Amino acid sequence: MKPQLKDCKSKSSFSVKDNLKHGVAYRCKIYWQNIKTAFHYVLNDNKKNPRSFIIGSCTVFLVVFFLCLIQNALKRSSVMLVKAQEDIVGKYDLLLTPSTNPQGQFSLLNHTYVEQKLAGKERIVGSAPRWALTAEALNEDYSGSLYTFFLNTTLEKEIGLASHWPFRKLGNNEILLSSSLIRTLHVQPNAGQTITLSFNITSLISEQYPDFKLESALLDNVIDEIIESNNNSEDEYQQRISQLLKKSNSKASIKKQFDKAIKNGLVITNNYLVIDAIDKSYGMFPSTLGNVGVIEIDQLNNLLVKAVESIVKEVINSSFPLTISFDVSKIKEINDYFNPVENALMIIVTMKDRMQIYTESHGNAKKDIMKFTNEVADSLGFEFTAEYTSVLFLAVNSSEVLMVFLDELFFSIISVLCLLMVILIYSLLMTDVEEKTFEYGMLRSLGLHHSVLIIILFFQSLFFSIPGIILGVFFCKIIYIPVDYIISQYAETSINVSITPSALILGISIGFFIPVFGIVGLVKRALTKTLRDALDIYHHVVSEAQVKIQKLEDIGMSLSEMAISIIMVAIGFSVYYGIPTAYVSQNFSLFFRFLTLLLLIMILGETLLGQVINNILEKICVSLVIWGSNKKLKIIVKKNLENHFSRNSKTSVMFSLCLAYIIFAAALFALMGGSLSRQIEWSTGADISIYANDFQYPLPEEQIRNILEKKLFMEDDENLIEEYTFVTFPLSNYDAIVSTVMCPVSGITSKGVQIYGIEPNILKTLRTDYYMVENYDYNYVIDNDPIASLNQTIDPQKDYTQYIPELFESINNGKVTTKSKIYYYYPLNATRTYTKGYPMLIGKNYITDTYSELDEWTPLVIDGYDNDISEVYLMKPISVLNKFPGFTGISNSALSSDYIAFISMDHYKEFINRTYEYLYEAYPAAKNIKRYKIPDLAYKRYLFIKVSDKATDFQIEDIINNILRYIDDSTKYTVSNLRHSVKSTNTIAELLNKIFYFIAFLGIFMCSFMCYLSFTANLKENSWEFGILRSIGLSAIEVINVYIYEAICIILACVVVGTIIGVCSATILTMQFNLFMQLPFTLSFPFYMFFEMVFLSLIVAIIGSYVPGKHYAEKPINIVIKGK
């Protein structure tokens, strides 16, 4: 029983025929009555037939809920990359370090002043003072080096710097140590065990702050305290001390010795109780520092007391032959002379909304960081002398391309999901209209005007949208709380459960506007049927006409042609102008956004193109699926596929697009999840990497070789170390060498190249996954081993007797200008230059930028000290490298501006020795300068170690710590533990995988829901066909099988199309990603998710066809034919 329209006919007739005869008020009254009529009709219809309302509102609810949730979660999950950088460099939004003013005066940082000036600022949360000292930890026979941080944990927790710091505030002489150092020292935390720390203050002052001076008034007060304490003493010995100290020249002499003692040997020792072990940095300090210790900053005063007490005793005892004993801590004003808060070695300033800023686009983030730093600098004033460093932003900026790729990945996922949701909602509305075509025809036959019917459809869409939007946003708000909790735990950030405006706008717009705009096409479908077609209960259209389109074609317009032309114009504009503009302005976000849009258009085009071959694939599937006794159903299934093409096409598009989306999303999530770990593997190069930070402190090669060869720290003859190798500093780092330049023989395009010496076993040590070679010159590669081939000396005249001298004529003029001689001919034997060549491995970027070829000879010009001498060597590239483990400067494109070449260790030493020899001839005084002494060994910068796969994490840490144990001041070296570093990035991969599984589940669910609605509606809409087939002799089960086979063939055809589209898109995306990130090609295919979706879709196809088919099978044939 359909709902009745009260007075619909009369009111509609007035509004149509007589509305021009009446005034505006009357016409408005008629329109208001039409709106009320439409509203009551839809309301009553939904009450009597709630199925359509429930399905529609649930669909909109799911769309709004999932889109808001996913958009919000994806936007929030960008913090994972920031978290990865925080683990590496720390949560240092802005780091202030001491500097010298224009007058050359040096001063530490007054945090009290900084805190007062920055209080209440718009972009600043707060600041915290710190001290950082290198120290040696001792426990009986065990020792180790570490960085010791003195900090205020309470304050740092308040400003968010130590938001996830799990340890309590430390007490007097208490310390937290790295877990690796605890194992090295063989101490147990929380067990009452103590260690001894030795702080070398002299090293800090002399090397980093040579202008630093302690307050001299402090020493005056110390001397006065000693005199006062001895004045009232009856001891003749004490009185004599006071008399000596009261002499006029005593204080001056002591102060002189005091300053000298500080500069030459200030080492402070103190005992500390080990409270707990630090397993990770928690963003409090850079993870690359190695072993660290944490002490409360107020404990720095204890060190000051010990330092002053020990130095004063030493100075006075050396000045006067008396033994002096006193307690400097009794001086009440001692904190006034050195307050570690007002004399901080560094100050860290944190900004508000930091995660939101770091996850913005690069341009916006840089703009906000600049505003933040400017606010800090303006607040402190120009008189405040300090160096400002945005440590975390610089680190995040280095991974800009990776973050842009992550943003574009999320954008592409949201775009595809939106498209799937649009198809789903439109199909739902289409189903509702098709099911009510007869009803709308009856209303029209009763006199209902078209405008009222349009209002009815509009209200129907609102009944779907409004409840669905409200419930979707509400449940999104609730469900997002645990989601954000998980993300915040991974990223170690505070919980932020607010829904971003972009998520709300996206969900509400899709949930509201798509149903509203969708009724445009549905109105055309409902109203362009003649009454005869609308009242046909068999839904067999005889004379369906599209009046609107016909009229446009009559005037020479085609909607399809207009749509295609608009798309082509948009693509042309973006490619021809948009992309070049983004590239020129270095706006990578905009650049990749254009590429992503082109990708989405390509995927959509591939999907639509796949529908062209979909019919062919469906027919092939019919032949493959139907066998045996059901073979006679093939012709019927094929006919059904043709007749139901209009409805099935939407299902095919959605399923193919969903499957393709899952495949390429899986590939990208795998790339993003593994890219950080692969970047770390590439940059680290080996299982263990140790490199010197400064050329003045090279690796102690002899000591390390002695340790590794004799296995001084191995137990039970464990062979944990399989290989190790050293790599030198670049040649240009030596004091006697100014630059190393390589160029083609013409000398037109020269490039500064870093020349490294390597050992023959380097490839046995490094991770060869990242050893990528463009090509070889097999004329000079011995036994297919380019590394071993570097030791050979090539005779150029063997093949190029007439060629070489002419090429070198422009270079080898043999004349330079020196300080000692106007024209000095450097001792370059031209014959030797022409007759002796040196093999090398060179990066592809050098070959590309200098337009060189592999078979060409390349001069290497080594400019000596102050350009007094220049030495030319003839180099022969035997291999061009696209990538080399441990050296990220080697690249196969222009993305890297570093040029790197490798030569053998013997040739490297030869170049050094000759350069020094020629330096002494050109500048003999250099022989007496210590810095120009010829080194006995080539200085080594890198040590790479390959450990056994059986080695545990603790064993690897023990190897590192025991190597550093035999090195003096190991804080001058940076250690990388590959396994530990990769594990620290696995949290990002785990979170991204969870996000992918959730999104894939959503896609599968929505696609299955769409398939079920489509297959169910397909049978209900064509129920009369069901009756006809039964009337001609087919059994009920055979007719049901017809629809089941039809659904299965549609699914299988879509599987083929979707897989092809997904694999192609994933391959293109992976190639583009690896092009920019310079990583090996890897393609991840989600086999488990793929087969799960196919299997579930087949189940849905069978159930969606069987359930309504069984319902009609139980009815009499005549009732089914009537469509009841």
Side-chain angles (χ1 to χ4, degrees), residues 88-222:
I88 297 174
V89 301
K91 296 181 180 179
Y92 298 173
D93 296 333
L94 183 62
L95 178 65
L96 307 183
T97 53
S99 179
T100 55
N101 57 23
Q103 290 75 31
Q105 297 173 340
F106 176 89
S107 62
L108 295 172
L109 304 177
N110 188 339
H111 177 256
T112 304
Y113 172 82
V114 172
E115 191 174 32
Q116 292 174 351
K117 291 293 184 179
L118 300 183
K121 297 301 179 182
E122 179 184 358
R123 297 180 176 85
I124 301 170
V125 176
S127 59
R130 281 190 181 184
W131 269 75
L133 302 175
T134 59
E136 283 291 324
L138 302 172
N139 179 37
E140 297 179 351
D141 295 332
Y142 304 100
S143 64
S145 301
L146 73 154
Y147 280 94
T148 308
F149 287 94
F150 295 85
L151 45 84
N152 187 338
T153 54
T154 302
L155 176 60
E156 295 194 2
K157 285 184 178 181
E158 291 177 358
I159 66 174
L161 188 60
S163 56
H164 283 71
W165 186 248
F167 308 104
R168 66 171 175 82
K169 180 179 176 64
L170 298 176
N172 188 35
N173 292 331
E174 292 181 340
I175 190 172
L176 301 171
L177 290 178
S178 297
S179 55
S180 58
L181 182 60
I182 284 179
R183 288 189 292 272
T184 301
L185 298 177
H186 291 75
V187 296
Q188 293 293 328
N190 297 309
Q193 297 186 11
T194 60
I195 61 169
T196 300
L197 291 188
S198 297
F199 301 94
N200 189 348
I201 307 298
T202 301
S203 175
L204 172 71
I205 296 174
S206 61
E207 295 178 12
Q208 301 184 32
Y209 308 105
D211 300 325
F212 173 73
K213 291 183 179 180
L214 286 174
E215 183 65 51
S216 61
L218 174 62
L219 187 57
D220 292 338
N221 277 20
V222 171

Side-chain angles (χ1 to χ4, degrees), residues 75 143 163 453 501 514 605 629 709 794 949 977 994 1034 1054 1057:
K75 184 69 176 176
S143 64
S163 56
L453 186 56
I514 296 303
S629 59
E709 292 295 336
I794 302 173
D949 294 336
N977 182 344
K994 290 181 179 179
L1034 291 179
C1054 292
V1057 174

Side-chain angles (χ1 to χ4, degrees), residues 644-835:
H644 304 159
F645 174 77
S646 177
R647 170 172 292 282
N648 293 340
S649 60
K650 293 187 291 295
T651 305
S652 300
V653 169
M654 185 172 183
F655 188 86
S656 301
L657 189 61
C658 183
L659 189 63
Y661 142 78
I662 288 178
I663 293 174
F664 83 78
L668 269 190
F669 271 107
L671 278 176
M672 296 301 300
S675 59
L676 280 177
S677 60
R678 288 191 291 163
Q679 285 278 7
I680 292 174
E681 289 175 352
W682 177 22
S683 60
T684 304
D687 297 328
I688 298 174
S689 171
I690 303 176
Y691 68 90
N693 300 322
D694 193 334
F695 181 78
Q696 302 302 323
Y697 301 96
L699 290 171
E701 180 182 356
E702 292 184 350
Q703 281 183 278
I704 295 176
R705 287 190 185 275
N706 182 55
I707 296 168
L708 297 178
E709 292 295 336
K710 295 184 178 180
K711 301 179 182 179
L712 297 180
F713 51 85
M714 298 293 183
E715 297 179 2
D716 302 327
D717 295 329
E718 292 180 295
N719 189 21
L720 299 179
I721 298 178
E722 296 182 356
E723 290 284 348
Y724 69 92
T725 188
F726 286 93
V727 178
T728 65
F729 278 92
L731 276 174
S732 56
N733 282 27
Y734 285 82
D735 295 325
I737 298 176
V738 176
S739 64
T740 51
V741 177
M742 287 174 48
C743 56
V745 290
S746 62
I748 295 177
T749 55
S750 61
K751 301 292 182 182
V753 182
Q754 299 180 28
I755 309 294
Y756 291 91
I758 58 177
E759 297 179 332
N761 67 332
I762 187 168
L763 288 184
K764 296 179 181 179
T765 308
L766 300 181
R767 298 182 65 89
T768 54
D769 299 344
Y770 304 94
Y771 173 66
M772 302 171 63
V773 179
E774 176 77 12
N775 49 18
Y776 296 100
D777 188 343
Y778 289 99
N779 294 323
Y780 302 100
V781 176
I782 303 172
D783 297 331
N784 294 323
D785 188 349
I787 305 298
S789 303
L790 293 176
N791 289 315
Q792 65 178 317
T793 301
I794 302 173
D795 182 7
Q797 290 193 347
K798 181 179 180 182
D799 299 316
Y800 303 96
T801 304
Q802 302 297 326
Y803 178 67
I804 295 297
E806 296 178 1
L807 289 176
F808 273 83
E809 184 176 355
S810 61
I811 295 178
N812 190 28
N813 53 23
K815 185 180 295 185
V816 295
T817 302
T818 69
K819 294 179 180 178
S820 56
K821 299 180 181 179
I822 298 177
Y823 294 108
Y824 174 77
Y825 291 85
Y826 57 85
L828 172 62
N829 187 334
T831 303
R832 175 183 59 76
T833 302
Y834 301 148
T835 59

Side-chain angles (χ1 to χ4, degrees), residues 595-611:
L595 296 182
T596 303
L597 291 174
L598 292 177
L599 170 69
L600 294 175
I601 294 174
M602 182 189 70
I603 293 175
L604 182 59
E606 291 174 343
T607 304
L608 298 178
L609 184 63
Q611 302 309 304

